[in-house]
C-alpha cells in the first residue's frame, strides 16, 4: 500500500507542477501587453517568429504594377544635391505622365516650404518697391513669373493629374514637437465624428505637410509615417493617424482609394457581448483592410529590397528608360534610397530598407487582398491551442519513455507549426506561436528533469554502485536503460590491445619511488586519454602495462580501426613527450604494442570477493604474445592478420609468419605504416623492394633475397628486421630447411 501511495504522490506532484507551467503561459496569453503577467521575453520571441514566417512566406517575385522612381545616389550626382528646385520636379512629373503615360503618382516626399532658388521672390519685392514705376518691367513681369515661379510650375504639373502627395506627422519619438509646416489635407474623419466612436489611435503633435498651392492642385494626400515596434523594427503602418482629434489616412490608403475609385471608407466595428466593441478593419469597397487596436496594419513585405522595379529619377528625367512600356498605365511612387536623405528603415526583411518600398508593399497588399490580420478572437484561439496541447503533452509525458516522449513532443510541435503556417498562408491570420512553443519546451524539459532527478534515482544509485568497478562507458549505458543491460559473459568479435614499457625494470631501479610514481602518472594519463578518445575500454593497468579492448560494452563495428588508431596515437604522443621527460631528468620511454582481433569472451568475471568486467580467450592471449614480439623485431606496434584484414585503408609491412608459444597454428604479423593515401614515395618503394625480398626468402632463393636485404639495410640501417632476415639466410644457406618448409618461425618463449 505504501508503494502505491508513493507512486500516486509522484504522479500527482508531476501533474501539479506541469499544470503550474501551463497556467503560467495561460496568464501571459490572457493579459494585456503592459500588465503584470505579460512577459516581455515571450513578446520578443513572438516578434522573431513573426519575422521568420514573413521571410519564409515571401513571394520572391517582382511586382511590376508599382514602379519606384528612385532619387538615388546616381540621381543626386547627375542632377545635384537635394532638394532639387521645383522646376526639375515639374519636368519629372511631366515626363512620367506625358512621355511615359503613367496612371497614378504617389510622392513619398513633402514640400512644406516655398522654392526661392529662381530669385522670383526678390523680383516680386523689387516690383513693389524700387521698380514699381518701371512700366516696361511691370509689363514683362507675368511672363517672367511663368519662367521663375517654380512652385507654380510644379503645381501646374500636378493639376488635373492623378497625383497623391505625401506628408509626415511629428511624434514624441521624432523629437519634432509642435512643428506645423505646410497645409494638411482634409481629414478622413473629423474630431467630432471620431469622438462618437470607440477608437484608439496614435496621435501626433505636429506635422510637415505641403504648400497650400501644391495641396490645392493634387488629387489627395496621405501620411507616410511608420510605427516601429519596441525593438526598432518597422512591421506596421498606421492606416489612420490622429492630429488634434482628426484622423488622416496613410499614403498607401489614399492611393488605393484613387485606384479603386472608392471615395469613402467604412469603419468595421466588431461588437460582442458585454459591451465589447473594437475597430478591426477598414472597409474599402469589397476590400477589408485589417487594423489592430491602434489602427495599424501589418506590412505585407513581398521580400527584400527590389521586390518592385526601381528606376533612377535621373534616367526618367533624361528619357533613358530602356523600356518605356514598363511605366505605361502603372502606379509610380517617387521616393529615395540615398543614404543622406534619411528614409531608410529597419524591417523584418532587411536591416536597411527604403521607406518608399514599405508603401509599395502596403499598396500591393491592399490591391491583392493580402494583408495579414490579428483579430481579437485570435487570443481565444491561442488560449485553446495552448491549453489543449499542454494537457495532452503533460498526459503523454507522464506515461511514455524518454524516447517516445521526445518523439511525441516533436510531432506535437510539428503539428502546431504546420497548423500555424496553414492559417497564415490560407487565411492571412497571424496566430501567435511563441507562448505555445515555450510552454511545450518547458513541459518537456520539466518532464525529463523530473524523470531524471526523482523517478530515476534508483537507476542512478545502481549505476553508482556498479561504477565502482566497471568502466565509465558501461555506467553510462546502464544509466540510460538498466533493464536491457546485463553483465553476463558473451562472445563478441572484438580487438584487444596490450602495451608495455621497454626496459621498465632498469627505469624503475634508477628512480626514487616518488619520481617513478610521477613518471607513470605522466605516461599513463595521455595513453588512457587516447584510448578513450578512440572508444576503447581500459581493462586494467599492470604496473607499466596497459590492457584495453574495443567492441564492449558498447558495440563498435570499427573496433579494429579504432584500436589501431589508438596504438598509432600512443606511439606518436609518447614520442612528442620525450623532450618533457628529458627536461625533468627522466629516461627515454619506448613502448611495445600488440593488437589482435577475433572472438573473445567479455563480461563480469572473478569471484564473490572481487569481480571485474574483462575479456578472455585465445584471441586475447595472442594479443599479449604479439606485444612481447615487438622487441624481437625492433618495432613498436605489431598487429595480427585478423586486425590487418579489418583495416584495409591502412598500409602494413609484413614482418613474419610465426608460431607463438602456446599456439599450434601460425599467424602472420604486421607493422602498421599509416593510411595508404598518406604514404610517401620513398616508403612505398622500400616496401615494394622488401616484399620482393621476402618472396625470394620464402622460395629459398637465398642469394637473391640476400642482395635485396643488403640494399635495404644500407638504405635503412636502423631497421632491425633486415638484419634478422640476413642472419636467417646465413643459417639456411648452410642448413637448408627442406622442400616442405612453410616459412614459419617458431618462438619457444613468451
Amino acid at each position: 500500500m505504501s508503494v502505491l501511495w508513493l507512486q500516486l504522490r509522484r504522479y500527482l506532484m508531476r501533474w501539479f507542477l506541469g499544470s503550474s507551467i501551463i497556467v503560467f503561459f495561460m496568464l501571459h496569453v490572457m493579459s494585456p501587453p503592459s500588465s503584470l503577467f505579460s512577459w516581455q521575453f515571450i513578446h520578443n520571441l513572438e516578434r522573431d517568429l513573426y519575422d521568420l514566417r514573413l521571410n519564409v512566406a515571401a513571394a520572391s517575385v517582382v511586382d511590376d504594377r508599382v514602379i519606384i522612381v528612385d532619387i538615388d545616389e546616381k540621381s543626386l550626382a547627375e542632377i545635384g544635391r537635394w532638394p532639387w528646385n521645383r522646376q526639375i520636379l515639374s519636368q519629372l512629373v511631366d515626363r512620367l505622365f506625358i512621355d511615359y503615360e503613367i496612371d497614378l503618382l504617389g510622392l513619398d516626399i513633402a514640400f512644406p516650404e516655398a522654392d526661392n532658388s529662381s530669385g522670383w521672390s526678390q523680383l516680386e519685392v523689387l516690383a513693389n518697391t524700387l521698380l514699381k514705376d518701371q512700366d516696361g518691367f511691370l509689363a514683362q513681369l507675368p511672363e517672367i513669373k511663368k519662367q521663375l515661379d517654380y512652385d507654380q510650375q510644379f503645381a501646374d504639373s500636378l493639376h488635373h493629374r492623378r497625383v497623391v502627395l505625401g506628408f509626415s506627422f511629428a511624434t514624441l519619438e521624432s523629437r519634432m514637437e509642435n512643428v506645423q509646416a505646410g497645409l494638411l489635407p482634409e481629414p478622413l474623419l473629423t474630431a467630432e465624428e471620431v469622438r462618437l466612436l470607440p477608437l484608439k489611435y496614435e496621435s501626433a503633435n505636429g506635422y510637415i505637410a505641403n504648400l497650400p498651392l501644391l495641396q490645392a492642385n493634387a488629387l489627395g494626400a496621405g501620411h507616410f509615417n511608420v510605427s516601429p515596434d519596441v525593438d526598432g523594427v518597422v512591421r506596421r503602418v498606421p492606416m489612420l493617424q490622429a492630429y488634434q482629434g482628426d484622423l488622416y489616412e496613410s499614403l498607401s490608403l489614399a492611393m488605393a482609394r484613387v485606384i479603386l475609385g472608392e471615395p469613402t471608407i467604412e469603419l468595421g466595428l466588431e461588437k460582442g457581448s458585454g459591451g465589447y466593441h473594437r475597430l478591426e478593419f477598414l472597409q474599402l469597397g469589397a476590400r477589408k483592410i485589417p487594423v489592430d487596436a491602434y489602427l495599424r496594419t501589418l506590412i505585407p513585405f513581398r521580400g527584400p529590397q527590389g521586390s518592385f522595379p526601381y528606376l533612377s529619377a535621373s534616367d526618367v528625367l533624361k528619357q533613358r528608360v530602356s523600356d518605356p512600356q514598363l511605366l505605361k498605365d502603372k502606379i509610380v511612387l517617387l521616393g529615395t534610397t540615398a543614404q543622406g536623405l534619411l528614409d531608410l528603415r529597419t524591417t523584418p526583411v532587411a536591416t536597411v530598407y527604403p521607406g518608399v518600398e514599405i508603401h509599395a508593399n502596403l499598396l500591393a497588399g491592399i490591391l491583392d487582398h493580402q494583408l495579414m490580420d490579428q483579430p481579437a478572437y485570435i487570443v481565444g484561439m491561442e488560449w485553446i491551442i495552448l491549453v489543449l496541447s499542454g494537457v495532452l503533452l503533460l498526459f503523454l509525458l507522464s506515461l511514455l519513455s524518454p524516447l517516445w516522449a521526445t518523439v511525441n513532443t516533436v510531432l506535437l510541435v510539428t503539428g502546431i507549426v504546420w497548423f500555424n503556417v496553414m492559417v497564415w498562408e490560407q487565411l492571412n491570420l497571424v496566430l501567435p506561436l511563441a507562448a505555445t512553443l515555450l510552454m511545450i519546451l518547458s513541459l518537456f524539459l520539466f518532464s525529463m528533469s523530473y524523470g531524471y532527478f526523482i523517478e530515476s534515482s534508483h537507476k542512478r544509485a545502481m549505476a553508482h554502485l556498479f561504477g565502482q568497478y566497471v568502466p565509465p562507458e558501461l555506467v553510462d549505458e546502464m544509466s540510460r536503460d538498466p533493464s536491457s543491460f546485463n553483465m553476463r559473459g558473451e562472445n563478441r568479435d572484438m580487438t584487444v590491445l596490450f602495451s608495455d614499457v621497454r626496459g621498465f625494470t632498469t627505469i624503475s631501479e634508477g628512480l626514487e619511488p616518488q619520481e617513478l610514481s610521477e613518471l607513470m602518472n605522466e605516461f599513463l594519463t595521455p595513453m588512457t586519454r587516447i584510448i578513450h578518445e578512440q572508444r576503447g575500454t581500459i581493462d586494467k593497468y599492470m604496473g607499466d602495462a596497459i590492457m584495453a579492448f574495443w567492441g564492449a560494452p558498447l558495440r563498435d563495428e570499427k573496433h579494429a580501426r579504432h584500436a589501431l588508431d589508438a596504438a598509432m596515437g600512443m606511439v606518436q604522443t609518447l614520442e612528442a613527450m620525450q623532450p618533457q621527460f628529458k627536461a625533468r631528468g627522466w629516461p627515454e620511454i619506448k613502448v611495445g604494442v600488440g593488437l589482435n582481433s577475433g572472438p573473445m569472451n567479455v563480461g563480469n568475471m572473478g569471484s564473490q570477493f572481487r569481480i571485474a568486467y574483462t575479456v578472455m580467450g585465445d584471441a586475447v592471449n595472442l594479443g599479449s604474445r604479439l606485444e612481447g614480439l615487438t622487441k624481437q623485431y625492433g618495432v613498436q606496434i605489431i598487429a595480427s592478420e585478423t586486425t590487418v584484414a579489418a583495416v584495409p585503408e591502412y598500409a602494413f609491412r609484413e614482418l613474419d609468419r610465426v608460431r607463438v608459444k602456446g599456439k599450434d597454428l601460425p599467424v602472420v604479423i604486421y607493422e602498421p605504416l599509416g593510411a595508404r593515401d598518406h604514404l610517401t614515395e620513398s616508403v612505398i618503394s622500400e616496401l615494394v623492394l622488401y616484399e620482393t625480398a621476402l618472396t625470394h626468402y620464402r622460395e629459398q632463393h637465398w642469394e637473391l633475397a640476400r642482395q635485396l636485404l643488403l640494399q635495404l639495410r644500407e638504405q635503412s640501417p636502423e631497421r632491425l628486421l633486415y638484419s634478422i632476415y640476413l642472419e636467417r639466410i646465413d643459417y639456411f644457406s648452410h642448413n637448408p630447411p627442406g622442400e616442405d618448409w612453410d616459412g614459419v618461425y617458431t618462438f619457444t618463449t613468451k
Side-chain angles (χ1 to χ4, degrees), residues 280-398:
E280 294 203 340
F281 59 90
L282 305 177
Q283 190 76 44
L284 184 61
R287 290 166 170 78
K288 287 185 177 181
I289 302 175
V291 294
D292 63 12
Y294 288 89
L295 308 181
R296 300 172 302 184
T297 292
L298 288 164
I299 304 165
F301 290 100
R302 295 180 63 83
Q305 180 182 355
S307 298
F308 299 87
Y310 277 73
L311 294 174
S312 178
S314 61
D315 288 341
V316 174
L317 269 169
K318 298 184 179 184
Q319 295 184 291
R320 295 192 302 232
V321 177
S322 58
D323 182 11
Q325 294 300 312
L326 178 66
L327 286 162
K328 183 177 175 59
D329 299 325
K330 298 296 177 62
I331 305 163
V332 173
L333 272 165
L334 177 62
T336 178
T337 62
Q339 290 281 345
L341 300 187
L342 304 177
D343 193 32
L344 300 174
R345 315 285 182 172
T346 300
T347 68
V349 295
T351 55
V352 178
Y353 193 86
V356 63
E357 194 165 346
I358 289 176
H359 307 300
N361 279 286
L362 267 170
L363 181 56
I366 293 172
L367 298 179
D368 293 338
H369 300 266
Q370 291 295 322
L371 295 174
M372 302 308 296
D373 193 7
Q374 278 187 305
Y377 65 77
I378 284 291
V379 176
M381 287 183 63
E382 182 185 14
W383 190 88
I384 292 172
I385 292 172
L386 186 101
V387 173
L388 290 180
S389 59
V391 173
L392 175 63
L393 185 62
L394 188 57
F395 176 75
L396 293 175
L397 292 176
S398 64

Side-chain angles (χ1 to χ4, degrees), residues 497-514:
L497 175 149
F498 285 88
S499 169
D500 195 18
V501 175
R502 302 275 178 80
F504 180 71
T505 302
T506 303
I507 292 174
S508 61
E509 290 174 350
L511 294 175
E512 295 294 330
Q514 183 177 349

Side-chain angles (χ1 to χ4, degrees), residues 559-629:
H559 54 83
R561 171 60 188 269
H562 290 147
L564 186 54
D565 285 343
M568 299 287 282
M570 292 167 68
V571 171
Q572 293 169 3
T573 300
L574 190 57
E575 187 67 29
M577 293 170 63
Q578 296 306 328
Q580 176 187 344
F581 288 172
K582 184 177 181 181
R584 299 184 65 172
W586 293 344
E588 182 179 11
I589 289 184
K590 296 289 186 181
V591 294
V593 181
L595 294 169
N596 185 40
S597 303
M600 304 175 193
N601 189 275
V602 60
N604 261 353
M605 300 177 194
S607 68
Q608 60 178 322
F609 301 104
R610 183 177 178 83
I611 194 169
Y613 190 77
T614 187
V615 290
M616 297 181 67
D618 286 343
V620 179
N621 296 334
L622 178 57
S624 177
R625 298 290 188 273
L626 296 184
E627 181 277 316
L629 293 181

Side-chain angles (χ1 to χ4, degrees), residues 668-726:
V668 184
I669 59 175
Y670 297 83
E671 177 191 9
L673 302 178
R676 290 185 180 277
D677 53 358
H678 290 167
L679 294 185
T680 63
E681 290 296 329
S682 60
V683 171
I684 294 173
S685 61
E686 181 183 352
L687 188 60
V688 171
L689 191 62
Y690 167 69
E691 289 174 349
T692 304
L694 194 60
T695 300
H696 287 314
Y697 168 78
R698 287 175 178 159
E699 292 176 354
Q700 302 187 38
H701 300 156
W702 309 121
E703 192 56 36
L704 290 174
R706 186 197 312 275
Q707 295 303 320
L708 293 177
L709 287 167
L710 286 171
Q711 181 180 343
L712 286 167
R713 188 169 67 175
E714 184 177 352
Q715 294 175 1
S716 304
E718 77 284 354
R719 202 173 306 285
L720 179 62
L721 181 64
Y722 303 146
S723 297
I724 291 174
Y725 276 103
L726 285 170

Side-chain angles (χ1 to χ4, degrees), residues 215-244:
Q215 185 62 58
N217 283 276
L219 189 61
H223 73 80
F224 44 74
N225 288 68
V226 294
S227 183
D229 288 332
V230 294
D231 58 356
V233 178
V234 175
R235 300 181 180 89
R236 295 172 176 82
V237 165
M239 285 289 103
L240 300 176
Q241 186 148 354
Y243 178 71
Q244 294 184 348

